[in-house]
């Protein structure tokens, strides 16, 4: 799951209707089968191959080994690290994990510099992303949110208070200090 941005197009389709090249290539929806049927079957196949739908087994397995996920990394580890629940088909917001630099600091020690092959995710089997996010919230975001709300209340600054409540919501202050958040919200009424 190392992601790369290529600098030139590796896939091309001619969409210009007046192009002589375009007339030779049909769009997928111009094929004999209905696009709706093909789309549904394709989505089912894709979600099953990437193990996003573990309950789906009745899909077209043609060339799955050739075009599948490969054997270098388990996709389950990816879902674990990035808090994707394939059973309940839910995910957790990771902005706090990424934007704060927690992910960078946690994963950087596992970069395989000698091989230029990105992060060695096999070293992260025991990493707890949810705990890392909670630790970041507890150590930085929530104390800042509490301070901002208390300061805005002391100064009786409604604009500051609105901003402080916004910070508090992003810091999920409701789970650790609901009374303070409620006091701030009541002040706005």
């Amino acid at each position: 799951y190392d992601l790369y941005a290529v600098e030139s197009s590796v896939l091309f389709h001619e969409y210009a209707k007046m192009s002589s090249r375009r007339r030779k290539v049909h769009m997928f929806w111009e094929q004999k089968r209905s696009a709706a049927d093909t789309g549904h079957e394709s989505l089912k196949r894709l979600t099953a191959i990437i193990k996003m739908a573990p309950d789906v087994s009745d899909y077209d397995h043609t060339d799955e080994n050739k075009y599948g996920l490969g054997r270098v990394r388990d996709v389950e580890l990816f879902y674990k690290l990035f808090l994707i629940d394939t059973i309940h088909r839910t995910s957790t917001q990771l902005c706090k994990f990424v934007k704060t630099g927690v992910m960078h600091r946690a994963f950087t020690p596992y970069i395989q510099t000698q091989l230029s092959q990105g992060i060695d995710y096999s070293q992260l089997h025991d990493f707890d992303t949810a705990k890392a996010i909670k630790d970041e919230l507890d150590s930085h975001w929530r104390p800042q949110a509490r301070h901002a709300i208390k300061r805005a209340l002391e100064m009786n600054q409604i604009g500051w208070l609105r901003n402080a409540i916004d910070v508090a919501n992003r810091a999920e202050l409701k789970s650790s200090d609901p009374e303070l958040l409620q006091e701030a919200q009541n002040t706005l009424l």
Side-chain angles (χ1 to χ4, degrees):
Y1 8 90
D2 296 322
L3 304 175
Y4 301 96
V6 294
E7 64 180 56
S8 60
S9 178
V10 293
L11 185 65
F12 176 77
H13 187 83
E14 181 70 61
Y15 282 94
K17 289 183 180 181
M18 302 308 290
S19 168
S20 60
R21 292 180 298 193
R22 163 63 180 95
R23 291 188 194 105
K24 297 174 190 169
V25 180
H26 292 283
M27 304 289 185
F28 80 90
W29 56 81
E30 295 173 334
Q31 304 301 321
K32 291 178 184 173
R33 295 177 63 192
S34 106
D37 291 343
T38 305
H40 176 73
E41 290 173 25
S42 296
L43 181 61
K44 185 164 122 178
R45 174 181 160 90
L46 172 66
T47 54
I49 288 173
I50 66 172
K51 300 180 183 179
M52 184 65 84
D55 55 328
V56 174
S57 60
D58 62 327
Y59 64 93
D60 180 3
H61 293 267
T62 306
D63 291 329
E64 186 173 349
N65 290 333
K66 185 176 181 181
Y67 298 111
L69 297 177
R71 291 180 221 99
V72 175
R73 298 181 184 100
D74 291 331
V75 72
E76 288 85 0
L77 179 58
F78 174 83
Y79 294 144
K80 175 190 174 286
L81 288 173
F82 296 101
L83 303 178
I84 298 169
D85 182 341
T86 59
I87 303 297
H88 298 101
R89 297 188 177 152
T90 60
S91 62
T92 299
Q93 178 59 256
L94 293 176
C95 290
K96 294 170 189 80
F97 181 55
V98 176
K99 287 183 179 181
T100 59
V102 173
M103 178 179 159
H104 178 78
R105 289 189 301 277
F107 290 5
T108 296
Y110 305 105
I111 291 177
Q112 303 173 87
T113 54
Q114 71 280 9
L115 301 174
S116 297
Q117 292 184 331
I119 297 167
D120 180 3
Y121 286 94
S122 69
Q123 301 296 312
L124 293 164
H125 277 282
D126 295 325
F127 186 80
D128 187 342
T129 305
K131 182 181 179 321
I133 292 171
K134 182 185 179 311
D135 290 349
E136 179 67 19
L137 288 171
D138 289 345
S139 65
H140 295 98
W141 286 61
R142 289 182 182 139
Q144 290 175 3
R146 279 187 199 93
H147 176 77
I149 286 177
K150 288 177 182 178
R151 184 80 172 137
L153 288 170
E154 287 170 10
M155 302 295 289
N156 198 26
Q157 292 288 328
I158 298 303
W160 291 3
L161 189 56
R162 283 192 184 99
N163 291 337
I165 290 172
D166 184 47
V167 170
N169 287 331
R170 284 180 286 163
E172 301 172 15
L173 193 63
K174 185 177 185 177
S175 65
S176 63
D177 202 344
E179 297 84 15
L180 179 61
L181 185 57
Q182 189 62 53
E183 179 186 352
Q185 291 169 334
N186 289 343
T187 302
L188 290 180
L189 299 177

